[in-house]
Amino acid sequence: MAAEPEILDELRRLRARVPQLTGALAASVDGLVLAHDTPGVEPESVAALTATALGVAVRMADVTGQGDLRELLVRGVHGYVATYAAGRTAVLTLLAQDRVNVGRLHLEGRRAGARIGELVDAEAVKAPGTTAAKAVKPATRTGTARTRTPRAPRTTATNARTTTES
């Protein structure tokens, strides 16, 4: 991939901007490593697990009506694993210490994900044998806009049921 050095530069700049990052990895949504800066961590394993977690997260967002997946955050005892959408075919996974400022992590992760997405999508357009129409299709929204309806007030009756009666 011709964009790999540029992606690696973006990962290194990101780690410089957020010192609490312990690793950064760009991968395809299929789990193939595009570029990584993950000392002490096996990048192929992280990329494969990212693809698996991404599949579950995409399904969860879809089933609950939340729209296209934007990011996934996992917090462990020792820190965070954050995954951000990066264009149409890639994701950015960041590993961070527990003391990271999560707002800053999201801000910088989203920006880097957008930049990496631009690089990957541009490379897909340049790939031999593909056309721009095939490689990058415009995002379209189908259906009507969702609206929220107000909730009914809670009842304080003692015989309120939580299951549906048939």
Side-chain angles (χ1 to χ4, degrees):
M1 171 176 227
E4 184 179 347
E6 293 172 316
I7 295 171
L8 190 56
D9 285 345
E10 183 63 34
L11 296 179
R12 290 186 177 142
R13 284 192 303 269
L14 176 61
R15 289 200 57 201
R17 290 190 308 264
V18 183
Q20 295 81 19
L21 286 183
T22 59
L25 172 130
S28 71
V29 293
D30 298 330
L32 301 174
V33 176
L34 301 176
H36 69 92
D37 184 9
T38 56
V41 177
E42 186 63 37
E44 289 81 13
S45 296
V46 173
L49 287 169
T50 295
T52 302
L54 186 65
V56 172
V58 164
R59 182 78 176 124
M60 177 69 84
D62 185 46
V63 166
T64 59
Q66 302 305 314
D68 293 338
L69 178 78
R70 295 288 180 238
E71 57 202 36
L72 173 65
L73 182 68
V74 176
R75 182 177 183 201
V77 173
H78 302 293
Y80 295 88
V81 179
T83 300
Y84 301 92
R88 298 217 171 265
T89 61
V91 291
L92 169 65
T93 297
L94 304 177
L95 310 175
Q97 298 170 353
D98 189 44
R99 61 189 180 92
V100 72
N101 177 321
V102 178
R104 177 79 187 268
L105 176 69
H106 284 321
L107 177 71
E108 296 294 346
R110 290 169 186 153
R111 285 179 180 168
R115 176 69 182 131
I116 289 168
E118 290 171 1
L119 294 169
V120 171
D121 290 348
E123 187 67 26
V125 171
K126 288 188 231 175
T130 62
T131 64
K134 258 197 223 171
V136 181
K137 63 179 186 181
T140 58
R141 207 155 213 224
T142 59
T144 59
R146 291 183 16 197
T147 59
R148 292 195 177 257
T149 57
R151 294 181 106 180
R154 285 188 163 189
T155 60
T156 57
T158 57
N159 62 354
R161 300 214 179 238
T162 57
T163 59
T164 306
E165 294 180 279
S166 41

